[in-house]
Amino acid sequence: MKLTKLGAILLVVALAIGAAAAAGSMLAPGCSRVRGTDVVTVSTADLSRGSARFFCYRTPSGDLIRFVLARGEDGVVRSVFDACRQCYRFHKGFTVADGYLICRLCGNRYKLDQVHRGLASCQPVQLENTQRGDKVLVRVAALEQGHTLF
């Protein structure tokens, strides 16, 4: 059976749409911009168990630092940079699906309760924070230490 030019174009478009739909969970999530001079304060009141949110902080020198706040099923909020120790070189970061933080390069999956444990050489880079009630405080100096990851 011979494909016409239009048929071939439609086939390519259909395959591209199918590939995009299949990769949907691997797309980079958006991030909420945060600001602060010495400390960045983020409310976690709307961060439900088994979910995570992505944040971006722009340094005075213009670097964009991304980080994740994740509340595990245990209710504890954990923070990591949106990068891992091995895969950061490719600037892919993570995505979240079904209670897991997923590396967008190698595909390793981390339960939100265990994001600080890591697997093999792909380990989320921890970000120090302080929690006060429904707020997480991250020192700007701690964020700036992660600038080489981005």
Side-chain angles (χ1 to χ4, degrees):
M1 180 169 106
K2 224 176 181 183
L3 282 178
T4 65
K5 191 173 185 178
L6 178 60
I9 291 171
L10 291 175
L11 178 62
V12 169
V13 169
L15 288 173
I17 290 171
S25 67
M26 295 305 284
L27 296 176
C31 62
S32 300
R33 299 241 177 189
V34 292
R35 294 185 180 155
T37 306
D38 296 320
V39 174
V40 169
T41 303
V42 180
S43 173
T44 57
D46 63 343
L47 189 62
S48 60
R49 290 175 185 248
S51 69
R53 290 185 48 212
F54 291 77
F55 298 91
C56 299
Y57 171 80
R58 184 154 316 267
T59 66
S61 61
D63 293 326
L64 190 66
I65 311 293
R66 299 184 320 270
F67 66 98
V68 181
L69 294 181
R71 187 182 301 272
E73 292 298 333
D74 59 2
V76 176
V77 176
R78 294 167 178 86
S79 59
V80 295
F81 285 101
D82 188 17
C84 77
R85 296 190 189 284
Q86 182 66 30
C87 303
Y88 79 92
R89 295 176 187 104
F90 299 95
H91 307 287
K92 298 288 185 188
F94 297 104
T95 191
V96 175
D98 301 322
Y100 285 87
L101 191 65
I102 304 165
C103 178
R104 292 181 45 236
L105 181 69
C106 71
N108 276 350
R109 300 167 58 89
Y110 308 95
K111 270 190 89 121
L112 296 180
D113 294 345
Q114 302 169 355
V115 294
H116 292 144
R117 291 191 185 164
L119 297 170
S121 61
C122 180
Q123 297 178 353
V125 179
Q126 294 185 38
L127 175 61
E128 180 186 323
N129 75 70
T130 303
Q131 297 178 34
R132 292 197 184 130
D134 65 350
K135 303 234 185 283
V136 169
L137 290 76
V138 180
R139 290 180 310 108
V140 168
L143 286 168
E144 290 177 343
Q145 286 178 346
H147 82 277
T148 58
L149 298 168
F150 304 95

